[in-house]
Every structure is written in C-alpha cells, then in structure tokens.
Amino acid sequence: MRYLLTLRYLGTAYHGWQVQDNARAIQPIIQDALCEMFPQRPGVTGCSRTDAGVHANMYCCHFDSDLIRDPYGVVCAVNRRLPNDIAATACRVVPNDFHARYSVKAKEYVYVIYNGAHRDPFYHGRAYHYRFPLRVEAMDRAARDFVGTHDFSAFCAERAKEGDKTRTVMNARVERQGDLVRFTVTADGFLYNMVRIMVGTLLRVSEGKIPPDGIPAIVQSRRRKNAGPTAPAEGLYLNRVFYE
Amino acid sequence: MRYLLTLRYLGTAYHGWQVQDNARAIQPIIQDALCEMFPQRPGVTGCSRTDAGVHANMYCCHFDSDLIRDPYGVVCAVNRRLPNDIAATACRVVPNDFHARYSVKAKEYVYVIYNGAHRDPFYHGRAYHYRFPLRVEAMDRAARDFVGTHDFSAFCAERAKEGDKTRTVMNARVERQGDLVRFTVTADGFLYNMVRIMVGTLLRVSEGKIPPDGIPAIVQSRRRKNAGPTAPAEGLYLNRVFYE
C-alpha cells in the first residue's frame, strides 16, 4: 500500500526537508512519528527539498507499507507524536505508481512581505519585514513577465548544479492586503532559490532600480548578476502541490 | 512631558504585564528598552494587567520624562532593543492628566478559536484548538446576552478580591471565518478571567449543555459554578483600548 501524507509546517527551526550535515531536518521527524502505526519505520519520499527556514502550508510525501491503516487514524496518531511546529493535515491511499515528487504537475509558492513601518511581533519569522512602502502595481506588472516557458538561469543560485534550467511559470502575481504584500507563483518546477531571487528582483522594481518591464531582458541574459538579491527564507511558503 | 506608547506583543513567553514572583513580565522589558532615549529609565504605567500567556494587538502605557524626543524616533529606538515578540507601534505626547489605566473608556478583547479537525502549527500558542465543529450561531445568540450593565460575579475567577463586579458590556459577538471562530467583546472594564470564562461558557452552549438563551440566568445567579470553565490563555488578545 502506498500512502500519501500531507503536512503543514513552520520551517524556522529546520534545515529543510532532507537530512544534510547533521542539521535538523523534517523527513526523519516524520519517519519517527509514523512508527506508532507503522513499526517498520517506512522511508518517506517528499515532493521537494525545501530550503532552511522555508515554511509549508502544504507539503506532500509518500511511504509504503503492507499494513492497512485508517488514513484518518494515521493523521491523528502522527499528530500526537509530531512537534508543535509540524502537523499532518491529511492522509490517503494512492496507486503504487504515484510518486510524491515525480507525479507533481505544478507547485505554488507564496512569498509574504510584511510592509508595515514598524516590526510586528506576530509576523516575526513568518514574513519578511520590508519597511518602505512597496509599489505593488509596478511589482505586479513586472511579475506577469515571469509567466511562460523560459530558461530561468538568471533566477537560480549560482552554486546550483548544471542541468536544464527551463521551467514553465503558469501564474505570477503580486497583491496587497493591508500591510501584507504577497507574491504568488505557480510553475511546473522551481530552480534553487528561484522564488527568493524573483522576490529580490521585484523589490528592485519597487525601488525603481529595475523598470517594471525589465524582467524579460533579465531572463534573456541568463545571468544571475542581472537579477536582484535573494530574499530571506522566512517569507517563503510552499503553498500547494498539484498532482494529476 | 507625558508619553503614550502603544505596543503589540505575543504573550506566550511572559507572565503578563506586571512583575510578580520573579516571573518574566513585559513592564520591566519596556522600561529597559526606553533607556537609550530616556537614560533615567522612567517607570511605565500600563492600561491593564494581562494574564500570563495573553497576547496584545494593542496595549497602551504611559511614562513621564523631562526630555523632549521625537515620538517616531522613540518607536524606532525602542524596537531596536525590544525582543522579537514585543514591538512598539506608536508613540505620542499626551496631556499630563492622561492616565493609561484610569483614562480608559473601554477595552476590546478578541478570543481566537482554531476550529479545524487537526492541529495547525501556525496557530500553535496563538489560538485555542477546539476540534469539534462549533455551533457558531448558537454561540453568537448566547453572546448577545452579555451586552448591558450586569453584576458579572458568575464570570469572575473566585480567587479575585471582593469589590464591585458590575461592568457594562457594549458589544459581544461570535463570528466564523473559515476554520477560525472569533469571540469579540467590548466593555468598560473586565473582571479577572472574565473573557476566558465567557468563552468557556459559550463552548458549553455549542456543546448543548447550556441553552442559547441561558446566559441571563447564569449572570443573575452570580455564581461562578454556573458558568463554563476558564478557556486557555493562548487564544486571548487585548485588541483595542479606547480613550476619550
């Protein structure tokens, strides 16, 4: 039986999904939490690596077991064992050829900017605090040009391994809701630090350092140095994972 | 000069506003943070004591100083020194007869219940998790009967000191917004644990253990045992403080 488990977590305390350099990761914590219902401690496969400090409103992973368990009971049992900053939200049985990572059709990320003049303790670690009033219309105009199939090398951390850097962005928009400014982007895949570099570039647009119609030239240049800086991880949320 | 300073804080790590039994309190932290601009470390008077773990979207306090300082600069300087879970949001000079506590005309509290089936890590410590679907219409119907001038002895912790327990509630309502259920109550003053006992009682209404029209009889009885239990502090926010 293959189970699909959906999670929600605050990434602040973690070095992302996967274990690396003995840092605290989310994957082994999920595996430990499954032990009560699945004593053979199945290995868990996630939908993506996430960077240190990145949050997830929805993260998907799968695992295999011969044991037949009530999916609702799995969620309850797992939640009893998970720490307060991670929770299971759903579980279901999926076909054996379903794969949490390879079956993904698209993912949606949201980057949250708290745009108030002064610090807000309720957003600490959950949004990036940018204190100068953002020109949201210019940012939104610029963001629309991310849509399409492009080589996004300019929006990829330089230390990332070589490989095809072409991705298809289906949707990209910037919206204000009070003191919060949200960048939402949906694509069939994301390069290393791609969303955070997009945000750093949109902040440059707001600051007037890049024109609102300047994105296509940056994309075409394929040079990381033409894009803006990498925005901090604390504002980034994996928001949705789309399967067939 | 008398300064009015407005704060916002996450109360999780604190034993309320005022120092008691050497527990961590908010008042001394504010006084320390003022030292940069006001080296004589003025004493700070708050608008109310708040219970351990209670949050504030808006908390007001005043202090006196002979020094003339730009109020915006005070906010910035204080925020540089305050911990991440406390922030100043505004500062202004007020008349000398203004008093953060005695000049209060009304206060508004909001109690936030997260009513999803499973834990949500983003609400941990910020909302009370009640997992069974709440009957919000019945709760709202019941809450309306808090409005008016009543002796609220039934909604006051028994260990509270004697004194006049009459308060005037101007507004009380329960609303749902997705998985969040919010109880908002405005009054000229609040007794010890009053909002949390009101919430515990409204939960009993949702559970069918108290009828939706059962509040007036509980108020009239003036007996604490007839009201519901005290809801946890983590869902409670001092939301607004009204002056003249």
Side-chain angles (χ1 to χ4, degrees), chain B residues 13-222:
Chain B
Y14 303 97
H15 268 260
W17 171 255
Q18 222 157 5
V19 187
Q20 44 178 323
D21 306 334
N22 291 324
R24 241 182 127 202
I26 293 162
Q27 185 187 32
I29 294 177
I30 303 303
Q31 289 173 178
D32 291 344
L34 285 168
C35 282
E36 190 182 323
M37 288 228 137
F38 302 95
Q40 78 280 38
R41 196 178 186 269
V44 166
T45 302
C47 61
S48 73
R49 298 173 187 209
T50 54
D51 289 356
V54 171
H55 316 298
N57 286 322
M58 180 183 181
Y59 186 95
C60 295
C61 58
H62 80 253
F63 61 93
D64 293 324
S65 174
D66 296 333
L67 301 174
I68 294 166
R69 296 281 184 248
D70 168 49
Y72 186 87
V74 172
V75 174
C76 295
V78 164
N79 279 340
R80 276 195 298 274
R81 283 178 161 243
L82 285 174
N84 290 325
D85 49 9
I86 307 178
T89 56
C91 180
R92 62 191 176 92
V93 174
V94 287
N96 281 327
D97 62 350
F98 174 93
H99 191 284
R101 186 168 176 189
Y102 302 131
S103 303
V104 170
K105 291 298 158 209
K107 284 183 285 190
E108 180 182 273
Y109 278 93
V110 172
Y111 193 95
V112 184
I113 300 169
Y114 165 63
N115 193 30
H118 303 296
R119 274 202 300 119
D120 185 320
F122 292 97
Y123 294 127
H124 176 72
R126 298 175 178 217
Y128 170 49
H129 184 200
Y130 187 93
R131 64 183 68 232
F132 309 104
L134 285 169
R135 294 168 55 222
V136 172
E137 271 184 47
M139 293 169 75
D140 186 50
R141 161 69 190 85
R144 307 278 168 165
D145 284 336
F146 288 131
V147 176
T149 301
H150 308 292
D151 178 331
F152 281 103
S153 297
F155 295 87
C156 179
E158 283 173 312
R159 55 183 158 148
K161 298 186 195 91
E162 291 303 306
D164 183 17
K165 305 245 165 96
T166 301
R167 297 292 182 274
T168 299
V169 172
M170 294 88 157
N171 178 47
R173 60 179 192 274
V174 179
E175 292 160 310
R176 175 184 291 281
Q177 208 177 8
D179 279 339
L180 294 183
V181 173
R182 282 192 183 83
F183 171 56
T184 306
V185 59
T186 315
D188 62 350
F190 290 89
L191 303 169
Y192 189 53
N193 281 352
M194 181 166 153
V195 183
R196 292 164 59 188
I197 300 170
M198 285 174 157
V199 171
T201 307
L202 294 173
L203 292 173
R204 286 279 187 273
V205 170
S206 174
E207 291 159 1
K209 292 171 189 161
I210 292 173
D213 61 357
I215 298 296
I218 298 170
V219 170
Q220 281 154 37
S221 78
R222 291 188 287 166

